[in-house]
Amino acid sequence: MDDGDESEQVRELQARLRQLDHFDRAPTAFYGTMTAGSVKAFQKKRALPVTGTVDTATWERLLTVSKEPTADELKPSTTNELDTPDARCMTGRVLCISKESRTLAWMIDGRVVSSMDVRFGSENTPTREGTFSVGWKAREWTSTIYHTPMPYAMFFSGGQAVHYSSDFAARGYGGASHGCVNVRDRAKLAALFDQVKVGDKVVVHW
């Protein structure tokens, strides 16, 4: 396992490192700089070569000093608490996106069907606020401007879209998007992508 990998084995690695206080967040299944740093700390403590890459010796040592992660350890709830939905979200099919609570709530006729954590653009590339609609969708997409992958993209305002972000999964709120609404839970977003239709409402609010 190495930087850039994304798999359920990486998720297990992170959960086991978390048991040993080497990984301080919910497992993401994405092997980024934070995971590499955690692996280095583990290797240093156990007198293994400090590479930041999981070889056979590192994995076998980790297995002996940690226990098999529970389902809750592998996929703990990562959803921030929802705030009161904007009035514009209370009718019809709506992606209700709150900058205040950093959440996306998928709502149908005023009822929350599912919710997930999101992050937004930076000061220089802010996520636009207002009422929009899903213009088009792409299960696999790469930004034509920034050349970064945008899986499960649902475009609602020009080039701005709701999409999965491996960077958000790895770095959390330490980073920002270029204006898009980033989601870090790939499985939740994949399920949402299949439910949302072109034309459904999108509300981005404080």
Side-chain angles (χ1 to χ4, degrees):
M1 284 177 279
D2 202 352
D3 198 12
D5 288 353
E6 189 166 8
S7 69
E8 288 308 301
Q9 191 177 13
V10 173
R11 189 187 298 279
E12 182 183 345
L13 165 73
Q14 292 165 333
R16 287 178 180 272
L17 289 169
R18 194 179 190 192
Q19 291 173 6
L20 305 171
D21 295 325
H22 286 305
F23 194 74
D24 65 354
R25 61 197 54 222
T28 62
F30 180 78
Y31 201 119
T33 52
M34 209 161 277
T35 305
S38 300
V39 169
K40 283 180 180 176
F42 172 79
Q43 289 169 329
K44 187 175 180 182
K45 189 171 182 183
R46 305 287 164 174
L48 293 160
V50 181
T51 60
T53 298
V54 179
D55 56 12
T56 304
T58 300
W59 183 247
E60 287 178 353
R61 181 68 61 87
L62 182 61
L63 291 181
T64 61
V65 296
S66 60
K67 59 182 176 49
E68 186 170 339
T70 64
D72 192 56
E73 284 177 320
L74 289 169
K75 294 186 178 179
S77 173
T78 59
T79 306
N80 296 325
E81 195 171 332
L82 294 173
D83 55 6
T84 304
D86 186 278
R88 293 168 290 177
C89 299
M90 299 308 291
T91 54
R93 299 164 56 87
V94 193
L95 291 171
C96 191
I97 300 165
S98 168
K99 287 188 170 182
E100 180 72 31
S101 62
R102 299 194 288 197
T103 55
L104 179 158
W106 168 232
M107 300 181 67
I108 299 178
D109 297 331
R111 184 175 65 87
V112 176
V113 179
S114 64
S115 61
M116 54 206 72
D117 297 345
V118 294
R119 81 177 178 184
F120 303 98
S122 65
E123 256 180 64
N124 298 326
T125 55
T127 303
R128 289 184 278 275
E129 293 149 34
T131 303
F132 312 93
S133 61
V134 176
W136 59 289
K137 298 165 56 181
R139 195 175 295 274
E140 294 292 338
W141 186 259
T142 300
S143 168
T144 53
I145 303 172
Y146 303 106
H147 311 294
T148 49
M150 297 169 57
Y152 303 106
M154 294 177 277
F155 290 87
F156 62 87
S157 176
Q160 295 193 354
V162 173
H163 69 83
Y164 170 72
S165 166
S166 58
D167 182 75
F168 183 22
R171 296 170 60 204
Y173 292 103
S177 76
H178 292 106
C180 286
V181 177
N182 288 167
V183 177
R184 64 178 165 194
D185 190 321
R186 189 177 189 129
K188 270 191 177 181
L189 184 61
L192 176 64
F193 183 88
D194 289 337
Q195 295 171 51
V196 173
K197 299 174 181 174
V198 170
D200 283 346
K201 189 160 59 170
V202 180
V203 176
V204 182
H205 68 93
W206 275 100

